[in-house]
Amino acid sequence: MSKIIGSVSTSHIPAIGGAIAKGLQQEPYWKPFFDAFPPARDWLHAAKPDVAVVVYNDHGLNFFLDKMPTFAIGAAGLYTSEDEGWGIPTVPPVQGAPDLSWAIIEQAVADEFDVTTCQEMLVDHACTVPLQLMWPAGWEGIRIVPIAINTVQHPLPSARRCLAFGRSIGQAIRAFSQDLNVVVLSTGGLSHQLEGERAGFLNPEFDDLCLNALINKPELLTRYSSHEIVELAGSQGAEILNWIVGRGILGGAAREVVRNYHIPISNTAAALQVLEPA
Ligand code: DHB
Ligand code: FE
């Protein structure tokens, strides 16, 4: 049986990868963002994870607007990073955990989620930047199961569906035959909009509501339609759906261990939240 040790949810802004590459972590612009991570890393390393289930959204690297799965689960042995156009350096490949991937896929399909299975999958900044933040010295010994949620092309899955999908994944992990420590790494958000008339839109009040609800009242977020989420959080703020899936995976009652909120980093309200089972 595997154990879900907790969840780390963080923004995945590509410029973070650029700042890491240039060693800018202590510059005044970046310090309030990066300084939140050492306590999160201390927590993570003490919990000794074997596998990270990474809930993120693909930004046109595997899936473009021509083909867009609602839920896609990686089942590869190795994941290679590529830059889909932000000009950030690529990072070393990450080992997969295909046996756990297939257990999750089996459970999800049994629970009537029609997932896309990916035995080959490239990972973009939304997967790699959080890995760099949590394992700055490298992720040797850590395996991942990447799970891509469509937060990009409408119609998006509802928050309700995302929470239920997460719960199905959590059930698969807990029932998995091997004794693994699994951390949930949810990425994206919080509020941001990169294009159009509202480019630069942020909504700290809604972000605060989300961070509070995610601790022990994730159902509160399921009352919003995906269009309402876009209105409240911005078009890319729909990435909160990744965090909602992640909260579903964690399941049960939770305790907040770390929270940071800093605006803006690039065009985004940058947030970090670590939850552990209560
Ligand atoms: C930014 C944020 C994102 O979530 C993303 O995927 C790309 C860019 C930004 O704020 O620059
Ligand atoms: Fe993004």
Side-chain angles (χ1 to χ4, degrees):
M1 306 274 275
S2 287
K3 192 175 150 198
I4 300 173
I5 57 176
S7 66
V8 177
S9 304
T10 170
S11 305
H12 61 218
I13 307 152
I16 299 164
I20 292 171
K22 294 184 199 126
L24 303 180
Q25 289 92 331
Q26 291 308 307
E27 295 287 312
Y29 180 84
W30 289 102
K31 191 173 164 52
F33 173 77
F34 280 103
D35 277 0
F37 282 85
R41 287 197 287 266
D42 289 347
W43 172 87
L44 181 66
H45 297 161
K48 296 193 176 14
D50 303 297
V51 175
V53 171
V54 184
V55 186
Y56 73 113
N57 58 297
D58 183 274
H59 294 70
L61 183 62
N62 285 274
F63 312 120
F64 199 56
L65 303 180
D66 57 337
K67 298 178 196 72
M68 183 58 72
T70 298
F71 298 131
I73 302 183
L78 192 74
Y79 299 95
T80 305
S81 100
E82 270 185 27
D83 172 30
E84 78 283 12
W86 295 98
I88 54 172
T90 55
V91 298
V94 203
Q95 295 290 327
D99 40 7
L100 178 58
S101 292
W102 284 110
I104 292 171
I105 291 163
E106 291 280 355
Q107 181 72 53
V109 173
D111 289 338
E112 301 178 353
F113 293 96
D114 304 314
V115 298
T116 300
T117 54
C118 304
Q119 300 194 61
E120 288 185 8
M121 200 178 194
L122 297 170
V123 287
D124 70 17
H125 68 273
C127 178
T128 60
V129 164
L131 291 177
Q132 289 179 282
L133 286 167
M134 296 316 293
W135 288 280
W139 33 83
E140 208 176 314
I142 300 295
R143 298 182 293 146
I144 65 166
V145 174
I147 301 184
I149 312 300
N150 172 24
T151 68
V152 174
Q153 173 158 268
H154 292 258
L156 309 183
S158 68
R160 182 179 308 279
R161 188 82 176 140
C162 287
L163 188 62
F165 182 49
R167 286 180 175 151
S168 170
I169 298 165
Q171 195 184 330
I173 296 168
R174 276 182 277 268
F176 188 54
S177 55
Q178 298 172 29
D179 294 327
L180 299 174
N181 282 341
V182 177
V183 67
V184 186
L185 191 51
S186 315
T187 94
L190 291 178
S191 58
H192 62 305
Q193 171 144 347
L194 301 179
E195 78 291 296
E197 279 175 20
R198 289 205 309 170
F201 174 80
L202 299 174
N203 189 345
E205 291 76 25
F206 184 66
D207 291 338
D208 194 55
L209 182 153
C210 289
L211 287 166
N212 290 334
L214 282 161
I215 304 173
N216 276 318
K217 293 193 171 72
E219 284 82 6
L220 269 183
L221 302 178
T222 64
R223 67 184 173 182
Y224 298 107
S225 70
S226 52
H227 289 115
E228 285 168 335
I229 289 177
V230 166
E231 204 169 301
L232 287 162
S235 48
Q236 281 72 34
E239 291 173 351
I240 189 69
L241 294 173
N242 303 334
W243 290 43
I244 294 171
V245 173
R247 183 62 186 87
I249 300 175
L250 181 62
R255 199 171 71 82
E256 186 179 66
V257 186
V258 176
R259 179 191 294 201
N260 188 53
Y261 184 81
H262 175 70
I263 52 174
I265 291 292
S266 186
N267 293 294
T268 298
L272 168 68
Q273 185 176 51
V274 178
L275 301 177
E276 65 180 15

